[in-house]
Amino acid sequence: MCPDRRLFNPIHRQRQAGLGLPAALFVIVILGLLVVAITELERSTAEGVSMDILSTRAFYAAETGAQAALGRLFPAGGVDNNCSVGFPVLNFSAEGLAGCSASVVCLTDSAGGEDYFTLRSTGSCGGGDETASRTIEVRAH
């Protein structure tokens, strides 16, 4: 069996020289771009999760503000009140709502001689670029 003489031909070897270097550079560039894309995807996912948590905390701050306002509007003694009782801004320091606040606005509607109260509670959490705010409304009679 005779080996292929073209493999030992110096001219044939020159045509193949340097093919590995461009292929290696191509693979390195593609892998680098892939790493950058995965890193960017991870960063944006982490920001989304952070905003979801802030949004949930803001919702619970708004809910707590509405509940506190209902307790102030309808005290345990059964005294009828109106929106003029005033609702201070609540700044929370408890573990789950630390750094959050809630403000409540009260509106009165009358229909058929009855007063209906609308409490609009806005909860906000965070600061700077990462701030979440949620608003809920509660109707009471």
Side-chain angles (χ1 to χ4, degrees):
M1 194 181 241
C2 184
D4 191 1
R5 293 194 184 266
R6 287 182 298 160
L7 294 176
F8 300 108
N9 187 349
I11 295 173
H12 184 67
R13 281 190 186 169
Q14 282 182 338
R15 280 188 271 149
Q16 290 183 355
L19 180 63
L21 182 61
L25 287 175
F26 178 76
V27 169
I28 290 171
V29 168
I30 295 299
L31 288 177
L33 291 174
L34 188 61
V35 166
V36 168
I38 290 173
T39 302
E40 180 63 26
L41 181 64
E42 179 66 27
R43 186 192 60 77
S44 65
T45 301
E47 284 179 4
V49 169
S50 174
M51 285 306 293
D52 283 346
I53 291 170
L54 274 179
S55 181
T56 302
R57 291 178 65 216
F59 171 77
Y60 284 119
E63 183 77 22
T64 303
Q67 292 295 326
L70 281 172
R72 192 169 172 106
L73 189 61
F74 301 105
V79 178
D80 288 333
N81 279 321
N82 54 32
C83 286
S84 66
V85 296
F87 303 100
V89 173
L90 300 173
N91 292 307
F92 301 104
S93 60
E95 184 177 335
L97 295 177
C100 297
S101 65
S103 60
V104 179
V105 175
C106 183
L107 305 168
T108 305
D109 296 323
S110 295
E114 299 288 330
D115 287 335
Y116 295 90
F117 302 102
T118 301
L119 298 171
R120 186 175 297 134
S121 178
T122 302
S124 60
C125 293
D129 290 341
E130 291 189 7
T131 301
S133 179
R134 299 283 296 267
T135 301
I136 63 168
E137 284 188 359
V138 177
R139 300 271 319 209
H141 169 69

